[in-house]
Structures are given as structure tokens and as C-alpha cells.
Amino acid sequence: MCVQVVERYSVCGCLYHKHQIDTCLLYGKGGHAVQQKIVLVGYACSAHSEQATKAVPNDL
């Protein structure tokens, strides 16, 4: 089974890093798919972290 690890931010789901495919003997043959393993990292990307902090009230 071919596997590719994909790291995504846990809150917004944006891509953090896509690793190379860890291939098996069947890689590239017809009908053989690459399975992606999603790993959640961090909190939110820079584009969404401002929005996430604005959603939290300052008086807590």
C-alpha cells in the first residue's frame, strides 16, 4: 500500500505540508491508489489565525 502523509492545520484545515509518497511494489500500476494519511498540526494558518483570535472575547 502506498501512503502519503498530509499535514493540515487542525482548525481551518489548510495545508501545512504534503510529504512525498511512500511507495510499494504496486506503485504506478493500474487500479492502485495512494492512500493519504491526514495529520492535524498546530492551530490555524496565518491567514485564519487572526479570525480565530477575533472570535474569542477579550473579557475572558
Side-chain angles (χ1 to χ4, degrees):
M1 169 180 17
C2 296
V3 177
Q4 182 178 37
V5 176
V6 178
E7 297 179 56
R8 294 192 173 276
Y9 287 99
S10 60
V11 172
C12 60
C14 291
L15 180 66
Y16 176 76
H17 183 75
K18 188 182 274 191
H19 295 264
Q20 291 183 337
I21 298 171
D22 185 14
T23 60
C24 71
L25 294 174
L26 297 175
Y27 179 71
K29 303 220 167 133
H32 183 67
V34 175
Q35 183 177 7
Q36 288 190 338
K37 299 285 185 176
I38 307 297
V39 177
L40 300 177
V41 297
Y43 185 70
C45 68
S46 59
H48 295 107
S49 62
E50 268 189 41
Q51 293 174 358
T53 55
K54 286 180 184 177
V56 177
N58 291 332
D59 59 342
L60 289 179

